[in-house]
Amino acid sequence: MQGDFSILDRKSEENGVAEAASPFWENTGFMAYNALAGGMLTGKYLEVPAALDDSNRARAMTSLEKPRGRMDTRGWGGTLYRYRSEAAQEAILEYNKLAKANKMSLTELSLRWCQQRNLITTTLLGHTNMQQLQESLDFMTKKNELPPDLMWEIDRIHMRNRLPLFSSNHVGKDWYGEGEIGEPIP
């Protein structure tokens, strides 16, 4: 089996997929994809937002002309909004603080956390360039696991909003097009 799975998107641990993939039940294995949440967990959008979210039009146009990754494109950037919701952004900032406090990058924290989950058999890595791929391979081949106290702190952030990808602070009072619920459909 495969599924969207990252430190931001842990629904596969809670919806029965983990049990189905378990050697005790179906023993199918599970491949995580989007472990870096479309690039949001690399840290490259922390200082300058994704092009479609950037209120600075000139900077947004520059990002569209020279994309840092999928979030700076009209295609993927428009369809992967869920990774950029306010709740997701808040969680990303918290995970980044935790990573820095533990002397690692957000990318390293995210990939090593993913690799350490019992559900995961393998993780599909996607990258913009060879340097990113090499860094990710270095993180994924580290033999030492993240310490239990760090895993606990990650879980504490997660428990504040268990599915930030589909959370929104812009929900209207009715179903007549006010605000947004989850991901906007183009």
Side-chain angles (χ1 to χ4, degrees):
M1 292 187 287
Q2 67 177 2
D4 196 345
F5 188 79
S6 69
I7 205 167
L8 286 177
D9 184 356
R10 297 168 68 166
K11 66 185 172 293
S12 295
E13 290 182 324
E14 299 178 4
N15 65 7
V17 172
E19 288 81 6
S22 164
F24 300 107
W25 296 105
E26 300 301 323
N27 198 23
T28 60
F30 185 83
M31 179 178 71
Y33 66 83
N34 268 339
L36 294 174
M40 294 302 294
L41 293 171
T42 63
K44 62 182 153 188
Y45 302 103
L46 289 172
E47 298 296 322
V48 176
L52 299 181
D53 302 330
D54 198 341
S55 59
N56 180 325
R57 184 163 169 72
R59 191 172 61 189
M61 294 308 292
T62 299
S63 294
L64 285 169
E65 290 167 11
K66 292 184 178 183
R68 295 163 288 172
R70 291 192 289 177
M71 295 300 173
D72 283 339
T73 65
R74 292 189 190 278
W76 282 110
T79 61
L80 295 177
Y81 168 77
R82 64 186 177 271
Y83 299 116
R84 301 187 322 269
S85 71
E86 288 177 14
Q89 297 276 3
E90 290 168 11
I92 290 167
L93 290 173
E94 290 300 312
Y95 290 129
N96 189 53
K97 286 180 198 172
L98 197 55
K100 297 296 178 215
N102 285 275
K103 298 178 178 43
M104 64 180 75
S105 68
L106 179 58
T107 302
E108 180 177 358
L109 178 75
S110 300
L111 290 177
R112 290 180 64 198
W113 173 88
C114 190
Q115 182 182 22
Q116 201 166 321
R117 305 310 290 174
N118 290 333
L119 164 66
I120 304 302
T121 308
T122 189
T123 304
L124 179 63
L125 300 175
H127 296 85
T128 305
N129 59 53
M130 290 301 291
Q131 179 186 351
Q132 288 177 351
L133 176 61
Q134 188 57 55
E135 287 173 2
S136 292
L137 290 173
D138 291 345
F139 302 147
M140 295 295 282
T141 56
K142 286 191 174 184
K143 299 296 181 203
N144 57 329
E145 293 187 341
L146 297 175
D149 59 325
L150 178 54
M151 294 296 283
W152 173 246
E153 291 303 319
I154 291 169
D155 283 346
R156 290 183 65 217
I157 293 168
H158 168 70
M159 293 307 292
R160 289 184 201 132
N161 187 334
R162 293 170 66 154
L163 194 53
L165 302 186
F166 298 104
S167 296
S168 175
N169 295 336
H170 306 284
V171 179
K173 62 182 177 180
D174 55 39
W175 289 94
Y176 300 112
E178 287 187 19
E180 63 189 35
I181 296 176
E183 190 168 319
I185 299 172

mmCIF file of all heavy atoms in Angstrom, residues 2 8 18 24 28 36-37 52 57 88 102 112 130 137 140 143 150 160-161 171:
data_model
loop_
_atom_site.group_PDB
_atom_site.id
_atom_site.type_symbol
_atom_site.label_atom_id
_atom_site.label_comp_id
_atom_site.label_asym_id
_atom_site.label_seq_id
_atom_site.Cartn_x
_atom_site.Cartn_y
_atom_site.Cartn_z
ATOM 1 N N GLN A 2 0.282 2.351 -0.410
ATOM 2 C CA GLN A 2 0.990 3.617 -0.365
ATOM 3 C C GLN A 2 0.030 4.709 0.065
ATOM 4 O O GLN A 2 -1.177 4.569 -0.077
ATOM 5 C CB GLN A 2 1.582 3.965 -1.719
ATOM 6 C CG GLN A 2 0.553 4.249 -2.789
ATOM 7 C CD GLN A 2 1.200 4.668 -4.099
ATOM 8 O OE1 GLN A 2 2.415 4.712 -4.222
ATOM 9 N NE2 GLN A 2 0.379 4.989 -5.079
ATOM 10 N N LEU A 8 3.271 16.012 9.040
ATOM 11 C CA LEU A 8 2.053 16.828 8.995
ATOM 12 C C LEU A 8 0.798 16.006 8.726
ATOM 13 O O LEU A 8 -0.296 16.428 9.047
ATOM 14 C CB LEU A 8 2.146 17.871 7.877
ATOM 15 C CG LEU A 8 3.044 19.060 8.076
ATOM 16 C CD1 LEU A 8 3.041 19.917 6.824
ATOM 17 C CD2 LEU A 8 2.621 19.868 9.275
ATOM 18 N N ALA A 18 -2.454 1.418 9.152
ATOM 19 C CA ALA A 18 -1.338 0.872 9.927
ATOM 20 C C ALA A 18 -1.609 -0.579 10.321
ATOM 21 O O ALA A 18 -0.713 -1.435 10.245
ATOM 22 C CB ALA A 18 -1.080 1.723 11.169
ATOM 23 N N PHE A 24 1.180 -8.501 11.596
ATOM 24 C CA PHE A 24 0.225 -9.294 12.373
ATOM 25 C C PHE A 24 -1.088 -9.500 11.630
ATOM 26 O O PHE A 24 -1.854 -10.387 11.973
ATOM 27 C CB PHE A 24 -0.043 -8.618 13.728
ATOM 28 C CG PHE A 24 1.194 -8.471 14.548
ATOM 29 C CD1 PHE A 24 1.773 -7.225 14.718
ATOM 30 C CD2 PHE A 24 1.812 -9.570 15.128
ATOM 31 C CE1 PHE A 24 2.936 -7.078 15.465
ATOM 32 C CE2 PHE A 24 2.969 -9.432 15.876
ATOM 33 C CZ PHE A 24 3.536 -8.188 16.041
ATOM 34 N N THR A 28 1.152 -6.166 4.304
ATOM 35 C CA THR A 28 1.328 -5.653 2.948
ATOM 36 C C THR A 28 2.483 -4.679 2.818
ATOM 37 O O THR A 28 2.983 -4.468 1.721
ATOM 38 C CB THR A 28 0.060 -4.915 2.489
ATOM 39 O OG1 THR A 28 -0.180 -3.829 3.376
ATOM 40 C CG2 THR A 28 -1.125 -5.848 2.429
ATOM 41 N N LEU A 36 7.956 14.952 2.611
ATOM 42 C CA LEU A 36 8.383 16.336 2.843
ATOM 43 C C LEU A 36 7.265 17.320 2.505
ATOM 44 O O LEU A 36 7.502 18.511 2.315
ATOM 45 C CB LEU A 36 9.651 16.647 2.051
ATOM 46 C CG LEU A 36 10.887 15.866 2.500
ATOM 47 C CD1 LEU A 36 12.066 16.134 1.575
ATOM 48 C CD2 LEU A 36 11.237 16.176 3.940
ATOM 49 N N ALA A 37 6.044 16.815 2.447
ATOM 50 C CA ALA A 37 4.844 17.650 2.251
ATOM 51 C C ALA A 37 5.000 18.620 1.084
ATOM 52 O O ALA A 37 4.808 19.826 1.224
ATOM 53 C CB ALA A 37 4.494 18.382 3.541
ATOM 54 N N LEU A 52 2.074 31.422 -4.710
ATOM 55 C CA LEU A 52 0.633 31.700 -4.716
ATOM 56 C C LEU A 52 0.133 32.285 -3.404
ATOM 57 O O LEU A 52 -0.973 32.821 -3.344
ATOM 58 C CB LEU A 52 -0.150 30.441 -5.058
ATOM 59 C CG LEU A 52 0.136 29.839 -6.440
ATOM 60 C CD1 LEU A 52 -0.711 28.610 -6.665
ATOM 61 C CD2 LEU A 52 -0.066 30.854 -7.547
ATOM 62 N N ARG A 57 3.732 40.945 -4.630
ATOM 63 C CA ARG A 57 3.526 40.509 -6.018
ATOM 64 C C ARG A 57 4.834 40.354 -6.798
ATOM 65 O O ARG A 57 5.013 39.387 -7.526
ATOM 66 C CB ARG A 57 2.590 41.469 -6.737
ATOM 67 C CG ARG A 57 2.269 41.025 -8.153
ATOM 68 C CD ARG A 57 1.046 41.750 -8.693
ATOM 69 N NE ARG A 57 0.838 41.553 -10.108
ATOM 70 C CZ ARG A 57 0.423 40.438 -10.673
ATOM 71 N NH1 ARG A 57 0.178 39.377 -9.936
ATOM 72 N NH2 ARG A 57 0.254 40.351 -11.973
ATOM 73 N N ALA A 88 -1.222 24.170 9.022
ATOM 74 C CA ALA A 88 -0.011 23.460 8.581
ATOM 75 C C ALA A 88 1.216 24.345 8.772
ATOM 76 O O ALA A 88 2.262 23.882 9.250
ATOM 77 C CB ALA A 88 -0.145 23.026 7.123
ATOM 78 N N ASN A 102 17.405 20.682 18.316
ATOM 79 C CA ASN A 102 18.084 19.387 18.337
ATOM 80 C C ASN A 102 19.186 19.299 17.293
ATOM 81 O O ASN A 102 19.595 18.205 16.891
ATOM 82 C CB ASN A 102 17.056 18.270 18.160
ATOM 83 C CG ASN A 102 16.260 18.057 19.420
ATOM 84 O OD1 ASN A 102 16.682 17.341 20.307
ATOM 85 N ND2 ASN A 102 15.114 18.739 19.517
ATOM 86 N N ARG A 112 13.711 11.473 9.142
ATOM 87 C CA ARG A 112 14.071 10.479 10.165
ATOM 88 C C ARG A 112 12.856 10.077 10.983
ATOM 89 O O ARG A 112 12.708 8.915 11.362
ATOM 90 C CB ARG A 112 15.203 11.012 11.043
ATOM 91 C CG ARG A 112 16.519 11.071 10.252
ATOM 92 C CD ARG A 112 17.668 11.577 11.067
ATOM 93 N NE ARG A 112 17.963 10.684 12.172
ATOM 94 C CZ ARG A 112 18.677 11.044 13.241
ATOM 95 N NH1 ARG A 112 19.147 12.270 13.343
ATOM 96 N NH2 ARG A 112 18.910 10.173 14.202
ATOM 97 N N MET A 130 20.084 17.386 -7.211
ATOM 98 C CA MET A 130 20.916 16.291 -6.713
ATOM 99 C C MET A 130 21.417 16.545 -5.291
ATOM 100 O O MET A 130 21.556 15.612 -4.513
ATOM 101 C CB MET A 130 22.110 16.045 -7.650
ATOM 102 C CG MET A 130 21.716 15.444 -8.987
ATOM 103 S SD MET A 130 20.861 13.854 -8.817
ATOM 104 C CE MET A 130 22.174 12.814 -8.244
ATOM 105 N N LEU A 137 19.332 11.221 1.337
ATOM 106 C CA LEU A 137 19.900 9.875 1.462
ATOM 107 C C LEU A 137 20.794 9.776 2.693
ATOM 108 O O LEU A 137 20.785 8.760 3.395
ATOM 109 C CB LEU A 137 20.670 9.496 0.198
ATOM 110 C CG LEU A 137 19.813 9.259 -1.049
ATOM 111 C CD1 LEU A 137 20.698 9.069 -2.277
ATOM 112 C CD2 LEU A 137 18.876 8.091 -0.858
ATOM 113 N N MET A 140 18.466 9.488 5.642
ATOM 114 C CA MET A 140 17.745 8.218 5.671
ATOM 115 C C MET A 140 18.649 7.035 6.025
ATOM 116 O O MET A 140 18.153 5.988 6.415
ATOM 117 C CB MET A 140 17.068 7.958 4.319
ATOM 118 C CG MET A 140 15.986 8.963 3.973
ATOM 119 S SD MET A 140 14.571 8.927 5.063
ATOM 120 C CE MET A 140 13.709 7.496 4.461
ATOM 121 N N LYS A 143 21.854 5.478 11.232
ATOM 122 C CA LYS A 143 21.427 4.280 11.962
ATOM 123 C C LYS A 143 20.774 4.601 13.301
ATOM 124 O O LYS A 143 19.932 3.860 13.765
ATOM 125 C CB LYS A 143 22.622 3.341 12.186
ATOM 126 C CG LYS A 143 23.255 2.853 10.898
ATOM 127 C CD LYS A 143 22.293 2.016 10.099
ATOM 128 C CE LYS A 143 22.946 1.522 8.825
ATOM 129 N NZ LYS A 143 22.010 1.185 7.795
ATOM 130 N N LEU A 150 12.553 13.383 21.986
ATOM 131 C CA LEU A 150 12.279 14.164 20.783
ATOM 132 C C LEU A 150 11.014 13.637 20.091
ATOM 133 O O LEU A 150 10.169 14.424 19.645
ATOM 134 C CB LEU A 150 13.472 14.118 19.830
ATOM 135 C CG LEU A 150 13.312 14.852 18.494
ATOM 136 C CD1 LEU A 150 12.888 16.301 18.688
ATOM 137 C CD2 LEU A 150 14.610 14.759 17.698
ATOM 138 N N ARG A 160 -1.765 18.966 19.115
ATOM 139 C CA ARG A 160 -2.426 20.271 19.123
ATOM 140 C C ARG A 160 -3.385 20.412 17.944
ATOM 141 O O ARG A 160 -4.372 21.129 18.023
ATOM 142 C CB ARG A 160 -1.390 21.394 19.085
ATOM 143 C CG ARG A 160 -0.633 21.501 20.377
ATOM 144 C CD ARG A 160 0.332 22.677 20.363
ATOM 145 N NE ARG A 160 1.340 22.419 21.367
ATOM 146 C CZ ARG A 160 2.646 22.530 21.169
ATOM 147 N NH1 ARG A 160 3.107 22.919 20.013
ATOM 148 N NH2 ARG A 160 3.478 22.256 22.139
ATOM 149 N N ASN A 161 -3.048 19.751 16.837
ATOM 150 C CA ASN A 161 -3.924 19.728 15.660
ATOM 151 C C ASN A 161 -3.549 18.475 14.880
ATOM 152 O O ASN A 161 -2.553 18.454 14.166
ATOM 153 C CB ASN A 161 -3.743 20.970 14.804
ATOM 154 C CG ASN A 161 -4.763 21.040 13.693
ATOM 155 O OD1 ASN A 161 -5.285 20.022 13.235
ATOM 156 N ND2 ASN A 161 -5.053 22.242 13.243
ATOM 157 N N VAL A 171 -13.511 29.621 7.916
ATOM 158 C CA VAL A 171 -14.733 28.867 7.651
ATOM 159 C C VAL A 171 -15.927 29.790 7.865
ATOM 160 O O VAL A 171 -16.070 30.404 8.920
ATOM 161 C CB VAL A 171 -14.821 27.623 8.569
ATOM 162 C CG1 VAL A 171 -16.095 26.866 8.305
ATOM 163 C CG2 VAL A 171 -13.611 26.728 8.353
#
